Amino acid sequence: MRRLAALLLLGALTVAGCGDGPSYTSAKDGVLKITLDEYRIMPENIRVPAGPIHIEATNKGRLTHNLVIESVTHADGEEPTLYGRTDTLHPGESGSEQKPITLKPGKYRLTCSIANHDDLGQYGELKVVAKSG
C-alpha cells in the first residue's frame, strides 16, 4: 500500500512539473527593466516586440553584476554572439546600454557575464516577437 501511495505521489509531482514552457513578462515600449542579484535575473523571461530595445538594469545584490544579451545557440567552441550589454554595476547601481539594440524576432539569452554567475543560474530568456498591426 505504501509503495502504491509513493508511486501515485511521484506521478502527481511529475505531472505538476510539466507545462507549456516558460511564462514571459511583457516589456512595454521596448524597455527591459531588469533587477540583478546573486545569481538571478528578474524577470527571468521577457517578451518584447521587435524594434529598438533599451536595457535598464539595477543591481540589488551584494556583488558586481552586468546584463548581456547574446545568442542562444552557437557552434561548439565558438563564443556566443554579443548583441548588447550594460557596464559592470556595483551593488545599488543602475545602468543601461550605450545605445538602443535592434533585434530580429527570435530567442536570445540574458545573462551576467561576470565570473561564473551564468553557471550559478544568473540567466534568462528574451523572446523578440514580430510587431503586430
Side-chain angles (χ1 to χ4, degrees):
M1 190 66 158
R2 284 185 183 193
R3 180 178 264 170
L4 178 60
L7 287 173
L8 289 173
L9 178 60
L10 180 61
L13 291 173
T14 301
V15 170
C18 294
D20 295 331
S23 61
Y24 292 88
T25 300
S26 291
K28 300 192 187 301
D29 302 324
V31 178
L32 307 180
K33 294 184 180 192
I34 297 176
T35 301
L36 306 166
D37 72 4
E38 273 64 64
Y39 319 125
R40 294 185 300 174
I41 292 175
M42 297 166 290
E44 184 177 1
N45 300 304
I46 304 171
R47 179 179 49 242
V48 63
I53 297 168
H54 302 275
I55 301 171
E56 293 179 3
T58 301
N59 182 359
K60 296 219 174 169
R62 297 182 323 256
L63 303 173
T64 57
H65 297 291
N66 68 7
L67 184 70
V68 172
I69 299 175
E70 62 186 18
S71 58
V72 172
T73 59
H74 52 280
D76 259 351
E78 281 186 22
E79 290 293 316
T81 301
L82 177 67
Y83 294 102
R85 62 168 289 152
T86 66
D87 290 332
T88 298
L89 302 173
H90 295 279
E93 287 185 333
S94 294
S96 59
E97 82 291 345
Q98 298 299 320
K99 60 182 181 174
I101 304 158
T102 301
L103 298 172
K104 294 179 183 176
K107 291 184 179 178
Y108 300 86
R109 188 170 174 82
L110 299 171
T111 187
C112 177
S113 66
I114 296 174
N116 64 338
H117 294 190
D118 183 14
D119 294 335
L120 294 170
Q122 195 169 14
Y123 60 85
E125 185 174 274
L126 175 65
K127 183 177 183 180
V128 178
V129 297
K131 283 189 175 182
S132 59

